[in-house]
Amino acid sequence: MLDKLSSLMASTFKKKNVEKAVIAVADGDLIPMTKVEDNIFSTLELGDGYAIKPSANQIYAPVDGVITMLFPTKHAIGITSKDGLDILIHLGLDTVKLNGQPFDLHVEEGQKVKAGDLLVDMDVKDITDAGLDPIVIVVYTNTREIQDLTPVTEGKVKHGQLVQTFKNIY
């Protein structure tokens, strides 16, 4: 019995230390959170993560999970991954002022999503024409609970491309 318990505990521990992936939510230029031109994000006050200056209008799920929050103004989406990663996807800076106009949501609260599923179409041109920054920010709001988060490498990225990995959520 003790051998069986030890074996079960060992396999559980091994599964917990498996690397988990976070993929790019959009096509564009990948930048680290600290380079976002908004202090709330760049100081990591809300958490670490990454940002993409989008070159296309489609925004995709970065992980398998559940949609936990949709702002009425459609400028932010909350997802909790199956591994316990809490993610806020923020669509542009100060876009709350646009009252949802440049966003066409393809998900609803409580919906399960797979990494790479289309979440929203965001009209980048409408946002820039309004004088706002269309940067897409992906924040891990429970960063302090994450073990071994890899750094972001700047450069061109396609949606679905690996951006970061982590091992555990405590």
Side-chain angles (χ1 to χ4, degrees), residues 23-26 50 57-71 74-80 87-91 102-122 136-138 159:
I23 63 173
V25 296
Y50 67 89
N57 292 334
Q58 293 74 31
I59 310 301
Y60 301 88
V63 294
D64 293 350
V66 175
I67 303 297
T68 54
M69 176 186 56
L70 294 171
F71 275 70
K74 304 177 188 176
H75 78 286
I77 300 169
I79 299 176
T80 298
I87 300 172
L88 174 68
I89 302 172
H90 198 277
L91 306 171
F103 308 111
D104 182 19
L105 293 175
H106 297 282
V107 293
E108 56 189 44
E109 271 188 47
Q111 181 178 336
K112 289 182 181 180
V113 294
K114 294 281 188 192
D117 284 355
L118 181 63
L119 300 177
V120 61
D121 284 305
M122 176 177 90
V136 179
I137 303 162
V138 178
H159 72 275

Side-chain angles (χ1 to χ4, degrees), residues 9-21:
M9 287 175 64
S11 70
T12 301
F13 181 74
K14 285 179 186 172
K15 285 182 185 174
K16 192 167 185 159
N17 282 315
V18 171
E19 241 180 26
K20 295 155 181 90

Side-chain angles (χ1 to χ4, degrees), residues 1-168:
M1 177 72 170
L2 188 55
D3 287 339
K4 196 172 194 175
L5 181 59
S6 294
S7 176
L8 179 61
M9 287 175 64
S11 70
T12 301
F13 181 74
K14 285 179 186 172
K15 285 182 185 174
K16 192 167 185 159
N17 282 315
V18 171
E19 241 180 26
K20 295 155 181 90
V22 180
I23 63 173
V25 296
D27 298 343
D29 294 314
L30 178 67
I31 63 170
M33 188 68 73
T34 54
K35 291 194 175 180
V36 173
E37 294 181 13
D38 183 303
N39 285 341
I40 290 278
F41 297 108
S42 65
T43 60
L44 309 181
E45 188 173 319
L46 296 178
D48 204 345
Y50 67 89
I52 296 176
K53 294 179 181 182
S55 60
N57 292 334
Q58 293 74 31
I59 310 301
Y60 301 88
V63 294
D64 293 350
V66 175
I67 303 297
T68 54
M69 176 186 56
L70 294 171
F71 275 70
T73 52
K74 304 177 188 176
H75 78 286
I77 300 169
I79 299 176
T80 298
S81 81
K82 65 180 185 174
D83 303 306
L85 186 63
D86 291 325
I87 300 172
L88 174 68
I89 302 172
H90 198 277
L91 306 171
L93 297 177
D94 297 323
T95 53
V96 66
K97 299 174 185 175
L98 301 176
N99 292 318
Q101 183 274 327
F103 308 111
D104 182 19
L105 293 175
H106 297 282
V107 293
E108 56 189 44
E109 271 188 47
Q111 181 178 336
K112 289 182 181 180
V113 294
K114 294 281 188 192
D117 284 355
L118 181 63
L119 300 177
V120 61
D121 284 305
M122 176 177 90
D123 194 323
V124 173
K125 185 178 180 325
D126 278 1
I127 293 169
T128 55
D129 286 352
L132 301 175
D133 186 344
I135 194 164
V136 179
I137 303 162
V138 178
V139 182
Y140 314 132
T141 59
N142 59 341
T143 297
R144 293 181 185 179
E145 300 170 16
I146 300 171
Q147 179 185 8
D148 297 330
L149 182 65
T150 58
V152 169
T153 303
E154 288 185 67
K156 296 280 183 205
V157 70
K158 292 281 190 188
H159 72 275
Q161 186 176 330
L162 179 67
V163 172
Q164 287 185 295
T165 63
F166 65 96
K167 285 194 179 168
N168 297 329

